[in-house]
PDB file of all heavy atoms in Angstrom:
ATOM      1  N   ILE U  78     -33.967  43.357 -11.137  1.00  0.00           N
ATOM      2  CA  ILE U  78     -33.628  44.581 -11.889  1.00  0.00           C
ATOM      3  C   ILE U  78     -34.221  45.794 -11.148  1.00  0.00           C
ATOM      4  O   ILE U  78     -33.488  46.642 -10.636  1.00  0.00           O
ATOM      5  CB  ILE U  78     -34.183  44.520 -13.334  1.00  0.00           C
ATOM      6  CG1 ILE U  78     -33.640  43.278 -14.070  1.00  0.00           C
ATOM      7  CG2 ILE U  78     -33.887  45.822 -14.068  1.00  0.00           C
ATOM      8  CD1 ILE U  78     -32.220  43.325 -14.493  1.00  0.00           C
ATOM      9  N   TYR U  79     -35.560  45.844 -11.110  1.00  0.00           N
ATOM     10  CA  TYR U  79     -36.216  47.013 -10.502  1.00  0.00           C
ATOM     11  C   TYR U  79     -36.175  46.893  -8.976  1.00  0.00           C
ATOM     12  O   TYR U  79     -36.743  45.951  -8.415  1.00  0.00           O
ATOM     13  CB  TYR U  79     -37.663  47.123 -11.006  1.00  0.00           C
ATOM     14  CG  TYR U  79     -37.743  47.207 -12.524  1.00  0.00           C
ATOM     15  CD1 TYR U  79     -38.223  46.136 -13.288  1.00  0.00           C
ATOM     16  CD2 TYR U  79     -37.300  48.353 -13.191  1.00  0.00           C
ATOM     17  CE1 TYR U  79     -38.280  46.215 -14.673  1.00  0.00           C
ATOM     18  CE2 TYR U  79     -37.351  48.432 -14.583  1.00  0.00           C
ATOM     19  CZ  TYR U  79     -37.836  47.366 -15.312  1.00  0.00           C
ATOM     20  OH  TYR U  79     -37.887  47.445 -16.688  1.00  0.00           O
ATOM     21  N   GLY U  80     -35.478  47.826  -8.337  1.00  0.00           N
ATOM     22  CA  GLY U  80     -35.331  47.749  -6.873  1.00  0.00           C
ATOM     23  C   GLY U  80     -34.070  46.989  -6.481  1.00  0.00           C
ATOM     24  O   GLY U  80     -33.713  46.929  -5.309  1.00  0.00           O
ATOM     25  N   GLY U  81     -33.408  46.417  -7.471  1.00  0.00           N
ATOM     26  CA  GLY U  81     -32.155  45.702  -7.218  1.00  0.00           C
ATOM     27  C   GLY U  81     -31.013  46.489  -7.828  1.00  0.00           C
ATOM     28  O   GLY U  81     -30.455  47.381  -7.202  1.00  0.00           O
ATOM     29  N   LEU U  82     -30.732  46.197  -9.104  1.00  0.00           N
ATOM     30  CA  LEU U  82     -29.626  46.973  -9.677  1.00  0.00           C
ATOM     31  C   LEU U  82     -30.066  48.320 -10.240  1.00  0.00           C
ATOM     32  O   LEU U  82     -29.242  49.182 -10.519  1.00  0.00           O
ATOM     33  CB  LEU U  82     -28.822  46.133 -10.674  1.00  0.00           C
ATOM     34  CG  LEU U  82     -29.474  45.481 -11.871  1.00  0.00           C
ATOM     35  CD1 LEU U  82     -29.451  46.422 -13.042  1.00  0.00           C
ATOM     36  CD2 LEU U  82     -28.666  44.238 -12.204  1.00  0.00           C
ATOM     37  N   TYR U  83     -31.402  48.529 -10.374  1.00  0.00           N
ATOM     38  CA  TYR U  83     -31.898  49.794 -10.951  1.00  0.00           C
ATOM     39  C   TYR U  83     -32.944  50.398 -10.027  1.00  0.00           C
ATOM     40  O   TYR U  83     -33.975  49.753  -9.753  1.00  0.00           O
ATOM     41  CB  TYR U  83     -32.509  49.470 -12.315  1.00  0.00           C
ATOM     42  CG  TYR U  83     -33.040  50.642 -13.098  1.00  0.00           C
ATOM     43  CD1 TYR U  83     -32.197  51.651 -13.542  1.00  0.00           C
ATOM     44  CD2 TYR U  83     -34.402  50.719 -13.432  1.00  0.00           C
ATOM     45  CE1 TYR U  83     -32.682  52.711 -14.299  1.00  0.00           C
ATOM     46  CE2 TYR U  83     -34.896  51.768 -14.184  1.00  0.00           C
ATOM     47  CZ  TYR U  83     -34.028  52.764 -14.616  1.00  0.00           C
ATOM     48  OH  TYR U  83     -34.511  53.808 -15.362  1.00  0.00           O
ATOM     49  N   GLU U  84     -32.679  51.607  -9.523  1.00  0.00           N
ATOM     50  CA  GLU U  84     -33.633  52.255  -8.622  1.00  0.00           C
ATOM     51  C   GLU U  84     -33.613  53.765  -8.862  1.00  0.00           C
ATOM     52  O   GLU U  84     -33.015  54.539  -8.100  1.00  0.00           O
ATOM     53  CB  GLU U  84     -33.256  51.939  -7.166  1.00  0.00           C
ATOM     54  CG  GLU U  84     -34.427  52.088  -6.216  1.00  0.00           C
ATOM     55  CD  GLU U  84     -34.052  51.612  -4.825  1.00  0.00           C
ATOM     56  OE1 GLU U  84     -33.101  52.171  -4.236  1.00  0.00           O
ATOM     57  OE2 GLU U  84     -34.703  50.676  -4.346  1.00  0.00           O
ATOM     58  N   PRO U  85     -34.253  54.180  -9.970  1.00  0.00           N
ATOM     59  CA  PRO U  85     -34.136  55.590 -10.356  1.00  0.00           C
ATOM     60  C   PRO U  85     -34.805  56.536  -9.368  1.00  0.00           C
ATOM     61  O   PRO U  85     -34.471  57.730  -9.327  1.00  0.00           O
ATOM     62  CB  PRO U  85     -34.820  55.636 -11.731  1.00  0.00           C
ATOM     63  CG  PRO U  85     -35.694  54.439 -11.801  1.00  0.00           C
ATOM     64  CD  PRO U  85     -35.097  53.404 -10.900  1.00  0.00           C
ATOM     65  N   GLU U  86     -35.744  56.017  -8.533  1.00  0.00           N
ATOM     66  CA  GLU U  86     -36.421  56.889  -7.551  1.00  0.00           C
ATOM     67  C   GLU U  86     -35.383  57.495  -6.602  1.00  0.00           C
ATOM     68  O   GLU U  86     -35.521  58.633  -6.159  1.00  0.00           O
ATOM     69  CB  GLU U  86     -37.445  56.104  -6.730  1.00  0.00           C
ATOM     70  CG  GLU U  86     -38.516  55.380  -7.540  1.00  0.00           C
ATOM     71  CD  GLU U  86     -38.014  54.086  -8.190  1.00  0.00           C
ATOM     72  OE1 GLU U  86     -36.994  53.529  -7.709  1.00  0.00           O
ATOM     73  OE2 GLU U  86     -38.612  53.656  -9.187  1.00  0.00           O
ATOM     74  N   ASN U  87     -34.384  56.738  -6.267  1.00  0.00           N
ATOM     75  CA  ASN U  87     -33.226  57.196  -5.495  1.00  0.00           C
ATOM     76  C   ASN U  87     -33.580  57.986  -4.243  1.00  0.00           C
ATOM     77  O   ASN U  87     -32.982  59.032  -3.970  1.00  0.00           O
ATOM     78  CB  ASN U  87     -32.308  58.034  -6.408  1.00  0.00           C
ATOM     79  CG  ASN U  87     -30.919  58.151  -5.834  1.00  0.00           C
ATOM     80  OD1 ASN U  87     -30.528  57.379  -4.959  1.00  0.00           O
ATOM     81  ND2 ASN U  87     -30.172  59.138  -6.295  1.00  0.00           N
ATOM     82  N   GLU U  88     -34.525  57.473  -3.472  1.00  0.00           N
ATOM     83  CA  GLU U  88     -34.980  58.216  -2.286  1.00  0.00           C
ATOM     84  C   GLU U  88     -33.905  58.340  -1.222  1.00  0.00           C
ATOM     85  O   GLU U  88     -33.944  59.235  -0.381  1.00  0.00           O
ATOM     86  CB  GLU U  88     -36.214  57.529  -1.699  1.00  0.00           C
ATOM     87  CG  GLU U  88     -37.461  57.914  -2.465  1.00  0.00           C
ATOM     88  CD  GLU U  88     -38.654  57.056  -2.108  1.00  0.00           C
ATOM     89  OE1 GLU U  88     -38.627  56.390  -1.064  1.00  0.00           O
ATOM     90  OE2 GLU U  88     -39.616  57.070  -2.905  1.00  0.00           O
ATOM     91  N   HIS U  89     -32.945  57.442  -1.222  1.00  0.00           N
ATOM     92  CA  HIS U  89     -31.913  57.474  -0.178  1.00  0.00           C
ATOM     93  C   HIS U  89     -30.516  57.734  -0.736  1.00  0.00           C
ATOM     94  O   HIS U  89     -29.509  57.422  -0.092  1.00  0.00           O
ATOM     95  CB  HIS U  89     -31.958  56.174   0.633  1.00  0.00           C
ATOM     96  CG  HIS U  89     -33.265  56.004   1.343  1.00  0.00           C
ATOM     97  ND1 HIS U  89     -33.516  56.561   2.584  1.00  0.00           N
ATOM     98  CD2 HIS U  89     -34.417  55.408   0.955  1.00  0.00           C
ATOM     99  CE1 HIS U  89     -34.759  56.285   2.936  1.00  0.00           C
ATOM    100  NE2 HIS U  89     -35.329  55.583   1.972  1.00  0.00           N
TER     101      HIS U  89
END
Side-chain angles (χ1 to χ4, degrees):
I78 303 286
Y79 303 108
L82 57 90
Y83 182 64
E84 202 173 59
E86 304 77 21
N87 199 18
E88 279 168 17
H89 298 275

